Amino acid sequence: MSANLVTDLGNGISCIDTLLHEPGIAACYLIEQDGVAGFIDTGTSKSLPILMDALQRRKLTPEQVAYVMPTHVHLDHAGGVGEVMAACPNATLLIHPRGARHMIDPAKLEQGSLAVYGEEKFAQLFGRLLPVPEERVQSVEDGFELDFNGRCLTFFHTEGHARHHYCIHDRISHGLFTGDTFGASYPRLNQGRNRFIFPPTTPIQFDPEAWLLTVDRLLALKPERIFVTHFGVHEEPEKLGLQLKQQIKDYAETADDLANMPERARAIENSLTLQSVNFLLDQQCGLDPDEIAAYLRMDMALNAQGLEHWLTQRQ
Ligand SMILES: [Zn+2]
């Protein structure tokens, strides 16, 4: 396994590239405190060998993994939970109460994702979903504090991207593990003057009002860094948070403006892509418009699908 898939971020935290599509797209995190380990997100069922390799690099065994903590049940974050739980016999799964039943019986989750991705893409990206035995699943309430071998991890329910999403605050790193709640920001697109961040409005629970409140609530914790799934660690959360909030508003406005267009999902996708390309060109990101559009194609298609669903629901 190539060494550059695992990056040591200090404070017992490693960033692991779970190789969704290609490197630099989806991460998960290994956190260790004096011999006790946990995974925050897991990638897909195809990511398991990379996670096991990351353990080995830190001289940890699967038996030392005490917790598996998917931020939410979307499959790029939690598709591999069943496999990881099977490989780590002592682990407890900590999950948002709304996500628990989907981990115990993934059939509905699989159906939902098939509807979003289609059969071919689903098989290629996610493989299979293994159920987790109910007795190993623990739901965590908003504000729950986990004593992680003396290290305090606090869980916050965070609506906006998904209603089954939590974020984890870590007092040691002064960091927040935010899944998709604090947006997506790819290193490949961050070579210019300012970073590019966007809200993944993946179907089917986009809620702009809730999301704006959530971002404020997370910023009120005064994190010094955020660990996002897509992708890696980011400093200056305050600045990124402002950008993200503006983008959430812009996305909702774009959807509203185009609500009466024929083929509005396509119109929304084109508009989001164009806005992203223009922003990135302004930042002199080093890529040409076609490269940017190609890099963001999958995300913008999913984002448009989510906004389309949001519009339909409100009508
Ligand atoms: Zn998600």
Side-chain angles (χ1 to χ4, degrees):
M1 202 70 67
S2 121
N4 58 15
L5 294 180
V6 183
T7 310
D8 186 351
L9 300 177
N11 293 310
I13 299 166
S14 302
C15 176
I16 303 168
D17 192 324
T18 61
L19 286 185
L20 187 75
H21 314 294
E22 58 180 294
I25 301 293
C28 73
Y29 296 90
L30 171 62
I31 177 166
E32 187 211 345
Q33 185 66 31
D34 301 324
V36 170
F39 286 111
I40 298 174
D41 284 332
T42 64
T44 73
S45 59
K46 300 186 174 187
S47 312
L48 181 70
I50 310 174
L51 272 62
M52 294 299 108
D53 186 60
L55 282 177
Q56 219 173 21
R57 280 174 197 283
R58 290 204 78 110
K59 307 215 177 334
L60 292 163
T61 65
E63 286 72 22
Q64 286 171 280
V65 176
Y67 300 101
V68 175
M69 300 167 272
T71 56
H72 61 305
V73 304
H74 287 163
L75 297 185
D76 47 335
H77 304 257
V81 163
E83 303 273 349
V84 175
M85 289 297 289
C88 301
N90 301 319
T92 297
L93 175 65
L94 301 181
I95 186 88
H96 190 292
R98 287 179 191 270
R101 68 193 168 96
H102 295 297
M103 299 285 94
I104 296 162
D105 176 10
K108 209 177 154 205
L109 191 58
E110 189 167 322
Q111 279 165 21
S113 300
L114 274 168
V116 171
Y117 291 92
E119 224 161 284
E120 195 184 331
K121 199 98 206 143
F122 179 88
Q124 181 198 334
L125 288 175
F126 303 121
R128 58 178 186 162
L129 304 182
L130 277 188
V132 180
E134 192 167 355
E135 61 276 14
R136 298 180 66 192
V137 178
Q138 184 187 335
S139 293
V140 295
E141 295 304 325
D142 186 39
F144 171 72
E145 291 192 349
L146 174 69
D147 177 355
F148 185 76
N149 204 20
R151 181 174 188 157
C152 182
L153 300 179
T154 313
F155 293 67
F156 296 98
H157 290 187
T158 54
E159 293 195 20
H161 170 75
R163 287 199 293 268
H164 45 83
H165 203 304
Y166 64 50
C167 293
I168 304 172
H169 182 257
D170 168 35
R171 277 188 212 162
I172 299 266
S173 64
H174 301 284
L176 267 173
F177 295 89
T178 56
D180 286 346
T181 295
F182 216 93
S185 187
Y186 296 121
R188 174 104 162 89
L189 301 179
N190 286 340
Q191 312 298 323
R193 290 187 296 212
N194 285 295
R195 283 167 295 181
F196 173 65
I197 186 168
F198 68 90
T201 56
T202 327
I204 54 175
Q205 294 174 342
F206 172 58
D207 183 341
E209 288 84 18
W211 205 336
L212 293 170
L213 293 173
T214 290
V215 174
D216 282 337
R217 189 178 177 215
L218 293 178
L219 287 175
L221 298 166
K222 300 272 176 227
E224 289 174 15
R225 51 193 55 80
I226 53 167
F227 304 95
V228 304
T229 300
H230 314 284
F231 181 100
V233 60
H234 290 275
E235 310 284 336
E236 300 181 295
E238 192 84 28
K239 183 178 170 190
L240 269 189
L242 281 178
Q243 264 178 274
L244 175 65
K245 286 201 296 181
Q246 188 57 51
Q247 283 274 71
I248 293 167
K249 291 179 209 161
D250 291 349
Y251 268 47
E253 212 175 278
T254 300
D256 270 332
D257 287 348
L258 299 173
N260 296 321
M261 293 279 285
E263 288 198 64
R264 67 182 180 193
R266 176 57 58 88
I268 292 169
E269 182 181 339
N270 289 342
S271 174
L272 297 181
T273 303
L274 188 67
Q275 290 170 41
S276 309
V277 168
N278 286 339
F279 176 87
L280 283 159
L281 291 177
D282 269 355
Q283 305 312 318
Q284 300 173 329
C285 76
L287 300 175
D288 69 39
D290 288 347
E291 288 172 313
I292 299 169
Y295 199 76
L296 289 171
R297 184 160 296 133
M298 182 84 172
D299 282 308
M300 294 305 148
L302 284 176
N303 285 349
Q305 233 185 92
L307 292 172
E308 156 73 21
H309 187 271
W310 175 65
L311 287 173
T312 306
Q313 235 180 2
R314 289 193 312 162
Q315 280 161 355

